[in-house]
Amino acid sequence: MDEIDHRLIRLTQAGLPLVSRPYATLATELGLTEQMVIDRMQAMQRQGLIRRVAVVPNHYALGYRHNGMTVWDIDDEQIADIGIRIGALPFVSHCYQRARHLPDWPYNLFAMVHGKTREQADQQVAQIRALLGNAYRHHAVLYSTRILKKTGLRLPE
């Protein structure tokens, strides 16, 4: 990473400019072309320096006030295939594998669902259960009770 990459990260770590061509705006700030900014961000992503560039919606502001982290006890042999299938569901925003912490925490697959009503979120959980059939042993749903501040790493100025 050179100084321009550091500057680019600092300029984007709180979000892209909310304009029709954010990379052009960043390019002007950095004295680069728009394509150079895009190329640098893609290179940093390939190197693992940044994970992704994505929209992070505020579910509550969009009316999705019933957000539940579903947790599942899935056979380790099947988890990769099952995780892909659950992660592809349109109402699942996050889906990932985590280590079990036995005997108290048998769950190894997590999937976040979002509903405008509790009934809608419960229906989504039921859809996951139906998709899994007999492939899970136990599950639980941990519903959000408040919004926590969600930010990633911030580089100092």
Side-chain angles (χ1 to χ4, degrees), residues 1-17 26 29-30 32 37 40-45 47-53 152-157:
M1 266 182 43
D2 62 15
E3 181 54 33
I4 293 173
D5 288 338
H6 279 277
R7 287 181 58 207
L8 181 56
I9 289 173
R10 284 193 298 274
L11 286 171
T12 59
Q13 64 189 0
L16 293 175
L26 294 167
E29 177 92 19
L30 295 167
L32 302 172
V37 168
R40 280 178 174 269
M41 290 191 77
Q42 287 174 338
M44 286 190 282
Q45 195 170 2
Q47 296 166 6
L49 299 172
I50 58 175
R51 271 185 278 165
R52 63 182 174 184
V53 177
L153 172 69
R154 298 288 192 251
L155 297 180
E157 293 297 323

Side-chain angles (χ1 to χ4, degrees), residues 52-127:
R52 63 182 174 184
V53 177
V55 172
V56 180
N58 179 333
H59 294 95
Y60 283 83
L62 294 172
Y64 293 89
R65 300 185 184 277
H66 300 273
N67 306 294
M69 178 59 74
T70 66
V71 293
W72 305 87
D73 177 9
I74 304 290
D75 180 67
D76 292 327
E77 302 283 328
Q78 299 179 43
I79 198 163
D81 176 58
I82 288 171
I84 290 168
R85 291 178 21 221
I86 292 175
L89 294 170
F91 52 82
V92 171
S93 64
H94 304 74
C95 185
Y96 47 89
Q97 181 179 1
R98 288 285 188 254
R100 304 170 199 275
H101 294 282
L102 298 173
D104 299 318
W105 192 258
Y107 309 109
N108 60 344
L109 185 69
F110 293 51
M112 190 75 183
V113 300
H114 306 276
K116 290 190 174 184
T117 65
R118 177 67 177 257
E119 293 75 25
Q120 183 182 35
D122 288 342
Q123 288 171 356
Q124 293 168 348
V125 174
Q127 284 182 261

